[in-house]
């Protein structure tokens, strides 16, 4: 890694050290000396996002912004949508350090195609951080106790400037002996705790492993439908966002010669009923107002000798994010936009995945995203929002 450059989340420190001492680099400067970064919330024009005025519908999704100091620094750096890292109904520990590794896909363009054999054969992961940046993150969605995160989230909401919006993220916690009804109730409890902080909207994460890798809540659209209905009853007219992992099309056929240009899908989608079922179980029932996609893409991570890269049981596979998943994110957004049009529904799409350059923001908007977010790209370029705005 370039020694003079410091991501605001320091991958060489533990999660707890980042929580207690972060943010770092340009974000730390923005907190210490706001005058130096200027007033990033001042805007000449505003867009509307889920009924809230937003200067530029661009920001940082759930994950790297661990607490109020991180979200406030993000606002000061011009990220007008800042998502507070996913919280739970109870304190939850973090996976063992290290939690981040650099990832190096084999292809010349550095992209990982969903369904590629490389994802199961093994993708090289080490500590050589290079741009365009691709990483793996393996945290296990840690959370502070509500007694700690509630007052902190309240402060985070209050720190948003004009045309800026703090989006709380939460998820349910599956613990041993829990019935499905208990699991649904845990989501509702957590949503209520988020409401108590004064939040005007929230994002529910359905895309992190709840029971081990490859078993994601969003693979069960009927359960997501039941949970979002219960959550919506609790939060009333506050907009509810759901965060999805990549859901592949059910059937595709190759693009006819030369007709792929301008499309963000790998192949012509002939059956998208799995993703459509998710939309029908949520948005179409009036319980969900926005879909954020995607989370990470699961891959087997290996070191240079072909051995498991992350230490410990259950960590043979881990989620890849950053540049490598850019095309998968665009593909999901384009398909969600097509479903929105086909079903005549009105919902917002938040495009996430591999946004590392200002032009990636444009590509997501063109593919149908109403808002765009960058986690890995923003970690490695704290000025990304300002670069988009300054064009
Ligand atoms: C350090 C880190 C922590 C993350 N933690 C969460 C999380 O707690 N909840 C969540 O929904 N997504 C989490 N994510 C996933 C991101 O929100 C995002 O979906 C994913 O990284 C793809 O975006 P990117 O390519 O811009 O990184 C995390 C990502 C990173 C890099």
């Amino acid at each position: 890694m370039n020694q003079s450059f410091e991501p605001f989340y320091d991958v060489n420190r533990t999660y707890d050290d980042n929580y207690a001492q972060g943010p770092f680099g340009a974000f730390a400067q923005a907190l210490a000396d706001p005058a130096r970064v200027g007033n990033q919330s001042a805007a000449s024009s505003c867009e509307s996002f889920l009924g809230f005025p937003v200067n530029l519908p661009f920001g940082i999704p759930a994950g790297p912004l661990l607490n109020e100091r991180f979200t406030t620094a993000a606002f000061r750096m011009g990220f007008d949508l800042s998502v507070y890292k996913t919280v739970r109904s109870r304190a939850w520990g973090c996976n063992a350090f290290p939690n981040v590794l650099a990832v190096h896909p084999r292809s010349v363009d550095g992209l990982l195609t969903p369904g590629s054999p490389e994802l199961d054969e093994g993708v090289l992961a080490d500590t050589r951080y290079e741009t365009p940046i691709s990483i793996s993150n393996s945290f296990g969605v840690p959370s502070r106790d509500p007694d700690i995160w509630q007052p902190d989230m309240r402060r985070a909401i209050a720190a948003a400037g004009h045309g800026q919006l703090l989006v709380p993220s939460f998820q349910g916690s599956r613990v041993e002996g829990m019935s499905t009804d208990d699991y649904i109730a845990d989501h509702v409890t957590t949503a209520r705790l988020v409401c108590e902080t004064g939040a005007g909207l929230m994002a529910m994460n359905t895309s992190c492993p709840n029971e081990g890798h490859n078993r994601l809540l969003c693979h069960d659209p009927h359960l997501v439908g039941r949970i979002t209905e219960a959550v919506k009853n609790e939060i009333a007219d506050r907009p509810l966002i759901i965060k999805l992992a990549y859901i592949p099309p059910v059937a595709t056929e190759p693009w006819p010669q030369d007709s792929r240009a301008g499309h963000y899908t790998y192949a012509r989608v002939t059956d998208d009923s799995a993703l459509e079922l998710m939309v029908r179980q949520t948005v179409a029932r009036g319980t969900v107002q926005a879909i954020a996609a995607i989370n990470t893409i699961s891959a087997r991570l290996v070191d240079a000798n072909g051995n498991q890269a992350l230490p410990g049981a259950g960590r043979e596979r881990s989620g890849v994010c950053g540049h490598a998943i850019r095309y998968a994110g665009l593909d999901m957004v384009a398909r969600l936009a097509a479903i929105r049009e086909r079903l005549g529904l009105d919902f917002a799409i938040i495009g996430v995945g591999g946004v590392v350059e200002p032009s990636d923001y444009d590509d997501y908007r063109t593919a149908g995203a109403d808002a765009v977010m960058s986690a890995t790209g923003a970690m490695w370029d704290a000025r990304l929002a300002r670069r988009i705005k300054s064009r």
Side-chain angles (χ1 to χ4, degrees):
M1 199 192 308
N2 178 347
Q3 289 307 306
S4 65
F5 172 71
E6 217 185 343
F8 62 79
Y9 180 98
D10 185 349
V11 298
N12 296 315
R13 299 180 203 229
T14 63
Y15 173 79
D16 282 333
D17 282 353
N18 271 280
Y19 190 97
Q21 294 158 27
F24 301 96
F27 272 37
Q29 284 166 19
L31 281 186
D33 188 3
R36 215 171 119 191
V37 292
N39 183 3
Q40 292 300 313
S41 70
S44 49
S45 68
C46 256
E47 290 190 39
S48 175
F49 173 71
L50 293 171
F52 298 90
V54 173
N55 301 325
L56 182 79
F58 180 69
I60 299 180
L65 304 177
L66 308 190
N67 55 38
E68 180 272 327
R69 288 194 314 281
F70 285 78
T71 54
T72 298
F75 284 138
R76 292 192 185 160
M77 292 302 290
F79 294 92
D80 294 327
L81 296 171
S82 289
V83 183
Y84 191 104
K85 183 166 169 59
T86 307
V87 293
R88 297 176 181 263
S89 60
R90 62 200 76 199
W92 199 272
C94 185
N95 290 346
F97 183 84
N99 304 102
V100 173
L101 287 177
V103 166
H104 310 281
R106 281 199 294 260
S107 66
V108 265
D109 57 10
L111 296 177
L112 283 170
T113 313
S116 150
E118 189 180 359
L119 296 170
D120 298 321
E121 287 163 11
V123 183
L124 177 64
D126 57 23
T127 53
R128 285 183 300 118
Y129 296 93
E130 298 164 340
T131 52
I133 184 73
S134 295
I135 62 171
S136 170
N137 82 75
S138 166
F139 289 86
V141 197
S143 174
R144 284 334 200 223
D145 186 271
D147 285 348
I148 295 175
W149 65 249
Q150 277 193 305
D152 189 60
M153 187 180 281
R154 188 181 288 279
R155 286 191 293 273
I157 292 168
H162 172 79
Q164 299 189 320
L165 186 62
L166 189 286
V167 183
S169 164
F170 76 99
Q171 74 174 53
S173 302
R174 176 84 90 173
V175 294
E176 221 180 312
M178 235 184 197
S179 68
T180 300
D181 283 347
D182 295 336
Y183 183 49
I184 295 172
D186 185 75
H187 282 84
V188 175
T189 301
T190 317
R192 182 169 55 243
L193 293 168
V194 171
C195 288
E196 286 170 6
T197 67
L201 79 171
M202 64 192 71
M204 186 180 110
N205 183 22
T206 71
S207 54
C208 285
N210 274 284
E211 296 152 280
H213 279 292
N214 290 331
R215 292 187 67 192
L216 311 182
L217 174 57
C218 64
H219 292 157
D220 186 344
H222 293 282
L223 183 54
V224 174
R226 288 179 64 192
I227 294 173
T228 48
E229 184 172 13
V231 166
K232 189 65 181 162
N233 281 338
E234 179 66 38
I235 70 173
D237 54 5
R238 293 173 184 85
L240 178 61
I241 303 165
I242 52 169
K243 169 93 170 281
L244 298 182
Y246 182 80
I247 296 176
V250 175
T252 58
E253 61 185 29
W255 284 109
Q257 199 73 30
D258 295 335
S259 70
R260 192 181 133 169
H263 292 279
Y264 293 110
T265 44
Y266 290 94
R268 189 207 294 271
V269 177
T270 52
D271 181 352
D272 214 1
S273 50
L275 186 54
E276 192 175 309
L277 179 61
M278 178 63 81
V279 174
R280 287 187 185 278
Q281 289 292 324
T282 55
V283 175
R285 292 166 66 188
T287 53
V288 165
Q289 285 64 51
I291 295 182
I294 56 175
N295 208 305
T296 55
I297 298 261
S298 170
R300 196 175 143 238
L301 298 185
V302 293
D303 64 19
N305 299 318
N307 299 320
Q308 179 177 329
L310 279 167
R315 294 176 95 192
E316 195 188 46
R317 298 185 75 92
S318 179
V320 174
C321 48
H323 174 71
I325 67 165
R326 173 181 181 276
Y327 216 82
L330 283 167
D331 169 273
M332 268 285 275
V333 164
R335 288 163 47 221
L336 282 167
I339 291 170
R340 176 168 62 182
E341 197 175 317
R342 199 159 61 237
L343 302 186
L345 292 169
D346 180 21
F347 65 98
I349 300 171
I350 304 169
V352 191
V355 175
V356 300
E357 287 295 332
S359 59
D360 298 327
Y361 170 84
D362 302 331
D363 286 346
Y364 268 95
R365 293 299 301 259
T366 306
D370 302 280
V372 181
M373 294 187 180
S374 170
T376 309
M379 280 166 73
W380 260 263
D381 181 2
R383 291 175 178 77
L384 187 56
R386 299 165 76 170
R387 286 175 62 214
I388 295 172
K389 291 177 178 180
S390 69
R391 295 174 307 168

